[in-house]
Amino acid sequence: MERKAFMSDMIRTELEDVVGVENVSAQDSERLAYGVDYFWIGRMWADRGNTPPMPDWIVRPASSEEVSRLLTIANYYRLPVQIWGGGSGSQGGALPMAGGVMLDMKRMDRLIEIDEVSRTITAEAGMIFQRLEWFANEKGYSCQHIPSCLTCGTIGGALAHRGIGIMSTRYGKIDDQCLSMEVVLPNGEIIYTLPVPKHAAGPDLNQIFIGSEGTLGVITKATFKLFEQPETRQFRAFLFPDMHSGFMAGRDIMQKLKPSILRFFDEAETMSIIRSILGFEKQGCFMNLALEGIGRIVDIEMELVLDICRRWGGEDLGSEYGEKWYKNRITFFYPGHIMDIPQMFGTMDTVATYQNIEEIYWAMKHAVEDNFPGVRFIAHCSHWYEWGTMIYDRFIMDHPPQDPEEAIRLHNQIWNAGVRAAMAHGGVINDHHGIGLKLGRLMKEQYGPAMQVMQGLKKSLDPNGIMNPYKLGL
Amino acid sequence: MFTEKAKKHADACRFCWMCRHLCPVQLATGKETNTPRAKGLLVSMFNRGLPMDEGAARIMYECLLCGACTDDCVTGFEPPLFIREARMKAVAEGVAPAYATKLIDTLVETGNLYGAKEVRAHLDGVPETGDTLVWLGATARYSTPEVADALLSILKKAGVDFAVLKDEPPSGGALGDLTGYIEDVRVQARQAAEAIARTGARRLIVLDSYDAALFLHEYRDWGVTLPETVTATAFVDGLIREGKLTPRKEALTVTYHDGSRLARDLDEHRPARDILAAMGCAVVEMFQNRRLARCCGSAVMGRALPQLHARIARGRWEDAQRTGANVLVAACPQSTEALAATVPQGYTYQDLFVMLDGRV
């Protein structure tokens, strides 16, 4: 429906009535800031001097009640609603591709409660995750959700795209760490998931909204586990002769132990990024891990790790490289260290069982390198489970086409090839960056008839389709 | 009109999200445009042909230039560099916010942000020439004179002979914050240095940490020569160490706010804490302390955007409140101006020099 004449001003008045005049903006220079997130296409588009996608209004709510009233208004006028936390998502999940309302959630950044008896922490979803971690640290705890975007993204963002941190192998993904949430449904109703450790009261509502990328409602509050800080954290690095031996060593470690960090790099990444940051020169597949907890237990666990790695031909590199990696774990993501425009790049992370993972690695590598000249492929595995692991596959093209439209087509072709190779061999469309705008087109291929479950939820909760259009394939 | 260096830094910052959690303005407002990344994005767009309008200029003035972002950057990019140049562009193109233009006019007319003609610090009988010159800075002279008076009283009690300029010229700091480092700022710097030289001073004690950072960094970069320059905190700490001052010890639990210029630009963390220890105070640290400290405000922001300034200061008070201490201490007149105006119920603000003066 087209808005004519002064209709936009009439709507703006209603939005201002909810959050205050100072918390609504339609100013061009503000709108521009919401048109570029971490998604490569958005960045390239702006870099080439094009106008980014812009919302019509930026609205900054301060409470769940305000979010509720805003969604009621948006539903009445059929306004697209996008939700912006830190804007650091790599999948274009927050981009205002349909204009409308951009809910910038960062005014909702209050700490609500630290329950030291239950060991939980509750905060509003607009809080930058690093600040939640600092609140936990002030009391001697940690949330142990430590992604590379810890300082960039919000609580809501981490939940919406089903994020993960570097300590996930021991402490879980965000969907393991989040205990309960407050969510504002598209119709304005405020609902709560059950605030208990586990239950048998039907499906877990948390898992409906975690990963929903703003398509089913707005996450406004969340409660997370708190962990005691470990008494010790010990690092060890190894060099494996090939991918297979590393995968098998990782599997055997996971069958017996729970390292907090377990990262395994293919030869290409070992010889590029690991070499440049850690100064490691040998050829092979680099692995570093950390064991943590009570010192006496960790000592025994480390003996078992050494046994397992020795059995699979891993050369013990001692603790130095692992410590150095940990110290530099965020350095990798600063400008000058991470891939950046004018390069074209993307992270096609996937996850699978140990039965399939090695085949997926080779299939994706071939799909990308054999079909797209000038494109490099590097990979590492950074989140492990008892029965499988993920691969953080990245492609890099140093000299992509200058023409933006040609670049977009090539970018999407590379993604299609890589992700389809993963799915064809037992992997999934994504491990921990989400779907967003980038991969929505592949969701039906991933789920087949199961997609109707998500479509049903969408239709039921958001019948007017206002929530984050064009995202998640919904 | 951006320098190549500023363009390079803006292009690096436009797609980097790493430091946003530290920006005290962003934390106070929750606005995306109050992040270094958004400002870098806009500057990169200006360099690609986007005209700077008044809205964009306003965004560039919503920054304390506190350096938390720069300090966090592993690769050494500096958002304040391109933000200052964006302000320069805003002024040159006539799109700077009215409050900024008014402040610039006030500075040019009176030499200070406050538009004050008469110094409020008590300088009667203080000589204007001598080996040691105390530089008070505009905030202590016109807004928080009790801090200036306390420092001068402490120095007298320690037997230090010192001079103070009755007509202390502007350092150039405030003008540089409002217009970027244009030639007029360097002119002010040279004039300040000449005024200092005329006193015959061989040592300069600087009370305002913003001026201290400017003297020790930018002045040197610009080739402006000053006598040996020391912060007031470091100097007074030295007096205690040398036994020239013996503070009365009174047990008190406090938390200490590291001013951004002292903590980050000058890497000075110890002297203020040592002075507190010498007074018998136990310091409970805020989580964000030393180089990580959250800026509480600045004189420029206080005059330009007073409501935002107060919100930023209240943010720092929240950090202080979580320590359990109910006394907050800081050692810079500009911090005192911000924090003393926003004291929560049940809490007390103490300027370090005022506190010490009461105990020696």
Side-chain angles (χ1 to χ4, degrees):
Chain A
M1 200 156 33
E2 195 187 346
R3 293 189 297 271
K4 292 196 184 289
F6 49 85
M7 193 60 230
S8 288
D9 299 294
M10 299 302 288
I11 293 171
R12 179 176 175 153
T13 305
E14 284 196 54
L15 300 172
E16 288 174 348
D17 194 41
V18 176
V19 297
V21 173
E22 69 280 15
N23 292 307
V24 177
S25 175
Q27 184 189 302
D28 283 350
S29 44
E30 279 210 54
R31 293 159 64 220
L32 284 168
Y34 296 84
V36 182
D37 66 359
Y38 210 81
F39 182 28
W40 183 83
I41 289 180
R43 292 160 65 164
M44 178 276 296
W45 190 254
D47 178 72
R48 310 268 159 99
N50 296 301
T51 304
M54 293 195 282
D56 296 307
W57 306 275
I58 299 143
V59 184
R60 293 187 290 271
S63 68
S64 313
E65 289 68 29
E66 287 185 2
V67 173
S68 166
R69 289 172 63 197
L70 291 168
L71 293 187
T72 307
I73 294 167
N75 250 310
Y76 177 76
Y77 291 110
R78 307 287 195 269
L79 303 175
V81 177
Q82 286 91 183
I83 304 143
W84 187 276
S88 59
S90 57
Q91 315 296 75
L95 292 181
M97 303 312 293
V101 173
M102 178 60 84
L103 288 185
D104 186 336
M105 297 297 288
K106 290 192 290 294
R107 281 180 75 214
M108 293 185 62
D109 68 343
R110 285 167 286 250
L111 176 71
I112 293 166
E113 185 189 26
I114 294 181
D115 177 349
E116 291 197 71
V117 175
S118 311
R119 301 289 166 90
T120 65
I121 185 166
T122 303
E124 290 179 322
M127 180 184 285
I128 299 286
F129 220 107
Q130 174 70 84
R131 301 198 70 81
L132 185 77
E133 176 65 13
W134 281 349
F135 284 124
N137 295 165
E138 280 182 350
K139 297 281 186 186
Y141 305 107
S142 171
C143 298
Q144 297 292 7
H145 179 70
I146 318 288
S148 52
C149 62
L150 180 65
T151 64
C152 318
T154 57
I155 291 170
L159 289 164
H161 82 281
R162 209 175 261 280
I164 203 166
I166 60 164
M167 318 300 267
S168 71
T169 301
R170 181 180 180 91
Y171 298 102
K173 238 179 147 193
I174 198 80
D175 42 284
D176 301 310
Q177 296 167 324
C178 177
L179 301 171
S180 61
M181 295 186 297
E182 176 190 84
V183 179
V184 183
L185 298 179
N187 66 6
E189 293 267 17
I190 301 173
I191 66 160
Y192 300 89
T193 65
L194 300 182
V196 293
K198 291 281 178 188
H199 62 78
D204 183 354
L205 288 181
N206 282 324
Q207 302 307 331
I208 290 173
F209 293 99
I210 295 175
S212 65
E213 300 188 3
T215 61
L216 302 179
V218 183
I219 298 166
T220 43
K221 291 188 186 95
T223 298
F224 296 92
K225 293 176 189 173
L226 283 177
F227 297 94
E228 290 179 10
Q229 295 281 13
E231 182 185 296
T232 185
R233 178 175 290 142
Q234 292 183 22
F235 292 92
R236 205 79 176 199
F238 301 91
L239 187 69
F240 286 90
D242 50 40
M243 292 295 281
H244 178 74
S245 52
F247 279 129
M248 293 300 99
R251 177 202 62 193
D252 288 356
I253 290 169
M254 290 305 301
Q255 282 289 314
K256 294 179 175 60
L257 308 165
K258 274 263 184 218
S260 54
I261 297 168
L262 180 50
R263 301 179 84 88
F264 177 52
F265 300 80
D266 75 346
E267 198 161 322
E269 191 158 344
T270 300
M271 297 307 292
S272 53
I273 294 175
I274 293 299
R275 175 187 276 186
S276 74
I277 303 271
L278 303 187
F280 181 76
E281 294 287 349
K282 290 185 181 176
Q283 208 151 358
C285 299
F286 179 85
M287 176 186 279
N288 70 309
L289 61 79
L291 294 166
E292 62 188 65
I294 296 164
R296 284 172 296 162
I297 296 173
V298 169
D299 287 342
I300 296 167
E301 288 179 332
M302 193 58 89
E303 283 176 26
L304 292 169
V305 164
L306 286 166
D307 280 348
I308 293 167
C309 290
R310 202 175 299 126
R311 201 161 43 221
W312 286 104
E315 179 190 343
D316 180 8
L317 303 172
S319 60
E320 183 195 342
Y321 287 112
E323 283 163 6
K324 204 167 172 187
W325 177 87
Y326 189 70
K327 209 175 280 176
N328 285 285
R329 65 192 185 278
I330 297 183
T331 304
F332 296 91
F333 296 91
Y334 280 88
H337 295 286
I338 192 152
M339 282 76 88
D340 203 351
I341 302 286
Q343 291 172 310
M344 179 193 284
F345 51 88
T347 302
M348 303 170 159
D349 47 314
T350 189
V351 56
T353 60
Y354 290 118
Q355 179 72 36
N356 295 325
I357 199 72
E358 195 177 341
E359 198 178 316
I360 289 169
Y361 167 74
W362 291 110
M364 291 181 77
K365 187 173 173 65
H366 285 304
V368 170
E369 288 185 338
D370 297 353
N371 294 311
F372 301 98
V375 178
R376 284 174 284 137
F377 182 89
I378 60 174
H380 66 255
C381 305
S382 43
H383 309 282
W384 295 68
Y385 308 89
E386 292 85 345
W387 59 305
T389 183
M390 63 77 65
I391 307 187
Y392 194 94
D393 314 275
R394 283 185 280 186
F395 75 85
I396 305 147
M397 185 181 204
D398 291 327
H399 305 291
Q402 270 306 300
D403 175 58
E405 284 160 16
E406 198 186 329
I408 290 171
R409 274 198 298 280
L410 178 61
H411 172 271
N412 290 347
Q413 285 163 8
I414 297 171
W415 271 95
N416 283 350
V419 173
R420 281 182 173 138
M423 292 194 294
H425 292 83
V428 297
I429 183 168
N430 188 263
D431 177 64
H432 65 258
H433 289 94
I435 302 301
L437 177 66
K438 183 193 275 181
L439 297 175
R441 66 185 176 278
L442 297 171
M443 278 290 275
K444 289 186 185 70
E445 286 181 38
Q446 170 71 73
Y447 280 97
M451 189 71 190
Q452 68 185 302
V453 177
M454 281 182 246
Q455 288 166 332
L457 278 168
K458 175 74 175 172
K459 208 169 174 182
S460 160
L461 294 175
D462 181 23
N464 294 320
I466 61 167
M467 300 304 297
N468 212 9
Y470 311 134
K471 313 295 167 55
L472 203 57
L474 291 172
Chain B
M1 72 184 289
F2 287 91
T3 61
E4 287 306 312
K5 189 176 176 189
K7 285 180 188 173
K8 185 180 166 198
H9 284 232
D11 274 7
C13 296
R14 66 184 165 155
F15 299 145
C16 178
W17 277 251
M18 300 304 273
C19 61
R20 65 167 48 212
H21 64 301
L22 295 168
C23 177
V25 184
Q26 192 275 143
L27 290 170
T29 66
K31 288 163 80 171
E32 186 63 24
T33 46
N34 292 150
T35 64
R37 164 262 7 147
K39 290 183 168 67
L41 182 66
L42 284 173
V43 170
S44 77
M45 288 177 170
F46 300 150
N47 289 322
R48 286 164 176 76
L50 180 79
M52 180 191 259
D53 60 15
E54 289 179 8
R58 268 201 305 277
I59 288 168
M60 296 301 158
Y61 279 89
E62 291 176 1
C63 169
L64 287 159
L65 303 168
C66 74
C69 46
T70 302
D71 202 56
D72 178 69
C73 185
V74 170
T75 23
F77 289 108
E78 301 172 38
L81 175 74
F82 57 75
I83 293 169
R84 270 185 212 279
E85 290 195 18
R87 291 179 183 183
M88 194 186 300
K89 181 179 166 71
V91 172
E93 295 181 4
V95 292
Y99 58 73
T101 309
K102 194 172 163 197
L103 275 178
I104 294 165
D105 291 344
T106 304
L107 260 175
V108 171
E109 192 185 322
T110 65
N112 66 80
L113 288 168
Y114 303 91
K117 301 265 170 47
E118 297 294 327
V119 63
R120 288 176 60 206
H122 296 92
L123 304 178
D124 294 344
V126 178
E128 289 204 76
T129 58
D131 269 2
T132 298
L133 179 71
V134 178
W135 179 277
L136 297 171
T139 301
R141 290 170 66 85
Y142 305 113
S143 175
T144 58
E146 69 282 7
V147 180
D149 292 344
L151 173 64
L152 300 183
S153 165
I154 290 165
L155 296 178
K156 277 181 200 158
K157 288 173 187 173
V160 177
D161 292 327
F162 60 87
V164 177
L165 284 166
K166 293 226 166 31
D167 292 316
E168 196 176 81
S171 65
L175 189 61
D177 283 359
L178 285 162
T179 64
Y181 290 138
I182 56 174
E183 182 53 27
D184 289 2
V185 176
R186 291 184 177 83
V187 169
Q188 286 196 343
R190 286 193 289 273
Q191 288 171 347
E194 284 159 14
I196 291 166
R198 283 195 294 274
T199 67
R202 289 188 297 181
R203 180 169 60 188
L204 183 63
I205 301 168
V206 187
L207 175 56
D208 190 303
S209 64
Y210 285 70
D211 285 343
L214 189 77
F215 292 164
L216 289 164
H217 292 162
E218 280 78 8
Y219 273 38
R220 286 181 182 176
D221 292 346
W222 299 334
V224 178
T225 311
L226 291 176
E228 177 199 348
T229 301
V230 60
T231 62
T233 33
F235 186 78
V236 170
D237 181 41
L239 294 175
I240 294 171
R241 286 172 182 277
E242 290 161 17
K244 291 178 181 164
L245 284 172
T246 308
R248 192 172 61 254
K249 284 185 189 273
E250 288 174 25
L252 183 66
T253 300
V254 304
T255 188
Y256 173 70
H257 166 72
D258 291 274
S260 56
R261 297 302 193 273
L262 272 183
R264 282 192 280 270
D265 293 1
L266 300 173
D267 205 23
E268 186 193 297
H269 314 125
R270 186 190 48 75
R273 288 175 172 79
D274 285 355
I275 295 169
L276 285 167
M279 291 189 282
C281 295
V283 179
V284 190
E285 296 288 356
M286 287 183 260
F287 190 84
Q288 284 185 260
N289 64 64
R290 297 176 171 81
R291 296 190 74 91
L292 193 59
R294 165 158 46 164
C295 183
C296 67
S298 70
V300 169
M301 180 72 89
R303 308 280 85 65
L305 295 160
Q307 286 180 330
L308 175 57
H309 188 246
R311 277 156 74 187
I312 291 165
R314 284 196 290 272
R316 191 54 171 158
W317 268 109
E318 286 169 14
D319 293 344
Q321 287 173 289
R322 291 197 307 280
T323 66
N326 59 9
V327 180
L328 172 59
V329 181
C332 174
Q334 298 197 35
S335 298
T336 293
E337 188 180 58
L339 295 169
T342 49
V343 181
Q345 201 168 12
Y347 291 82
T348 307
Y349 176 76
Q350 287 269 289
D351 175 85
L352 182 72
F353 298 104
V354 173
M355 199 174 175
L356 179 63
D357 188 40
R359 297 186 185 203
V360 289

